[in-house]
């Protein structure tokens, strides 16, 4: 079963930083553009006023410049930022102008302030000649020229702000990667940490934020080591304590076989084989639960495995279409408990099927017993997925728990498929053993 990849802290930080940088650059550009546009407008108005004063002074000294009725000669091609006109106030005619100034008067009468023309295309300033009150000077700048200046200011400001923001984002991304390296090293150290070997405790570059995590991991490892040591001691004691009565039962059954009539010897032999299998299963379970021993996988013949066990009077059908590679003792423990569950829920017929699904081996156990309600089965499936075996969960009894633990010990999982009658359970695990176990 595949799980969605969780989000990355570094990825989220980098993405947030990038968007913040872009937003900051745009906001900075807008603010700077507003301020600069306002100042540029005042600057260009001041330039207009000063240019008008210069033209007025020159024309006042040389009156013929404003009365010859000619346009200024175009000596060479250049970009004219300001134009001028000399307008006759009574007639509203242009008497003289620069070569790019319009032929029509931009203002029909002098104004006291800088103002836009009626069509809104020119920004003008007028000045009356004191020697010729009927004439006035108009100095103007086109809206196109002013918009071009403002546009260039906005463009250069935007490019500079975004460039600095992206550069800052790249530098911060580099710093984030550097600062997250100790966290990645801590994760790798935890993966290789063995609580029974204190020298493998994870150690990273000293960071104040990681010290509590390292301390918590160290304390947890110490507690786990103490528990493992205690449980191994218990396992050793329990295995010895169980081995003695099982061995005694085996001896007593061996003697009984020799002394019993021929008619009951097969039943005693079967009981002795089952007792031997029980001893091995108990030892295997103790080792699996207490020390995390790897399963001893081998090819298992389900028919022989079932025949070697002593069950109730249920009819057991076996369909094995694929080799089963598993630990026979652990598998026997799981089957013992599952079949006991079937008997407790009034099953008379049990079908055990082994098949191949992709790279997995599937062992299905289905009976014709009472079964359970769909909502109960859904709760059981959820508990199996979450490994919720404790109190308060839907798990009751040892059968499903042991089956799930055996499947997980083989690197697999457990499913509860739908069935028309009775109860069905499937154990899935990889058909080929892991390379480390090979």
């Amino acid at each position: 079963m595949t799980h969605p990849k969780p989000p990355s802290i570094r990825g989220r930080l980098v993405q947030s930083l990038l968007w913040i940088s872009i937003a900051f650059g745009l906001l900075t550009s807008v603010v700077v553009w507003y301020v600069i546009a306002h100042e540029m407008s005042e600057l260009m108005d001041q330039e207009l006023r000063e240019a008008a004063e210069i033209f007025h002074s020159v024309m006042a000294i040389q009156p013929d410049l404003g009365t010859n009725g000619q346009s200024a000669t175009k000596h060479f091609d250049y970009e004219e930022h300001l134009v001028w006109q000399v307008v006759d106030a009574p007639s509203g005619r242009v008497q003289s102008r620069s070569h790019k100034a319009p032929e029509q008067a931009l203002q029909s009468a002098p104004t006291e302030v800088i103002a836009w023309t009626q069509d809104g295309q020119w920004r003008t300033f007028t000045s009356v000649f004191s020697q010729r009150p009927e004439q006035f000077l108009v100095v103007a700048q086109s809206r196109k020229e002013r918009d071009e200046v403002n546009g260039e200011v906005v463009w250069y400001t935007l490019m500079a702000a975004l460039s600095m923001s992206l550069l800052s984002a790249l530098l911060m991304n580099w710093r984030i990667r550097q600062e997250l390296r100790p966290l990645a090293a801590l994760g790798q150290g935890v993966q290789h940490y063995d609580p029974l070997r204190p020298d493998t405790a994870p150690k990273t570059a000293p960071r104040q934020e990681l010290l509590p995590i390292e301390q918590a991991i160290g304390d947890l490892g110490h507690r786990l080591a103490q528990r493992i040591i205690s449980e191994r001691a218990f396992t050793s004691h329990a295995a010895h304590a169980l081995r003695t009565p099982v061995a005694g039962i085996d001896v007593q059954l061996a003697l009984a076989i020799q002394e019993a009539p021929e008619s009951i010897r097969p039943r005693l032999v079967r009981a002795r084989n089952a007792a031997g299998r029980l001893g091995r299963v108990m030892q295997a379970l103790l080792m699996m639960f207490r020390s995390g021993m790897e399963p001893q996988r081998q090819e298992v013949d389900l028919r022989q495995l079932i025949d070697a066990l002593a069950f109730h009077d249920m009819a057991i059908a076996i369909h094995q279409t694929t080799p089963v590679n598993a630990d026979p003792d652990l598998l026997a423990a799981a089957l013992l408990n599952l079949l006991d569950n079937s008997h407790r829920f009034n099953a008379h017929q049990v079908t055990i099927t082994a098949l191949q699904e992709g790279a997995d081996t599937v062992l299905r156990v289905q009976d014709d017993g009472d079964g359970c309600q769909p909502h109960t089965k859904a709760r059981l499936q959820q508990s199996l997925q979450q490994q919720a075996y404790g109190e308060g969960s839907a798990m009751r009894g040892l059968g499903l728990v042991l089956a799930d633990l055996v499947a997980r010990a083989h690197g697999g999982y457990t499913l509860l498929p739908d069935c028309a009658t009775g109860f069905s359970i499937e154990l899935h695990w990889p058909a080929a053993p892991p390379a480390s176990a090979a």
Side-chain angles (χ1 to χ4, degrees), residues 235-251 275 278-280 282-283 286-287:
T235 300
S236 177
H237 176 75
H240 177 74
L242 291 172
R243 190 181 300 115
T244 301
V246 171
I249 293 174
D250 182 74
V251 172
L278 177 62
R280 291 192 295 272
M282 292 175 62
Q283 186 174 3
L286 284 171
M287 292 300 295

Side-chain angles (χ1 to χ4, degrees), residues 59 62-69 84 86-87 94-96 129 132 135:
M59 290 181 179
Q62 299 181 6
D64 58 324
L65 290 176
T67 59
N68 57 14
W84 58 268
V86 176
V87 181
V94 177
Q95 294 185 338
S96 183
F129 294 105
R132 304 184 299 277
Q135 295 180 344

Side-chain angles (χ1 to χ4, degrees), residues 24 43 65 95 198 220 231 263 278 307 367 376-377 382 397 410 423:
F24 178 77
L43 200 63
L65 290 176
Q95 294 185 338
L220 178 61
E231 291 180 346
S263 59
L278 177 62
D307 289 344
D367 62 41
T376 304
K377 181 178 290 187
Q382 183 180 9
H410 288 78
F423 188 81

